[in-house]
Amino acid sequence: MRIAFDNAKCQGHGRCYSLSPSLFESDDEGFAVLKIDGEVPPDLEDDAILAADNCPEYAIEIQLT
Ligand code: F3S
């Protein structure tokens, strides 16, 4: 599983780093920063899905590999 994060779509809603802090963090302005290179460790797959499902801007896409 990979995460494709489109930071151009991020509006800073903050749900991703609140729900999945192991995968996302906030920059100084509240926009999301993906903490991994894209490949999701197996134990974080549920967190990745949670973040993707809760981003209202659809900035986080899950890609099954
Ligand atoms: Fe941005 Fe969506 Fe997270 S708008 S801060 S990627 S919940």
Side-chain angles (χ1 to χ4, degrees):
M1 177 187 286
R2 292 185 60 83
I3 290 179
F5 172 54
D6 185 349
N7 57 5
K9 291 183 179 175
C10 176
Q11 297 295 315
H13 292 284
R15 296 183 190 172
C16 56
Y17 50 77
S18 295
L19 292 167
S20 304
S22 49
L23 292 169
F24 291 91
E25 60 190 359
S26 172
D27 71 8
D28 291 344
E29 297 178 325
F31 294 102
V33 177
L34 182 61
K35 295 169 69 175
I36 61 171
D37 66 2
E39 192 67 34
V40 180
D43 61 322
L44 296 180
E45 288 185 350
D46 287 348
D47 285 356
I49 293 166
L50 189 65
D53 284 350
N54 282 278
C55 176
E57 305 296 338
Y58 304 103
I60 304 165
E61 181 185 337
I62 299 295
Q63 300 173 335
L64 299 178
T65 53

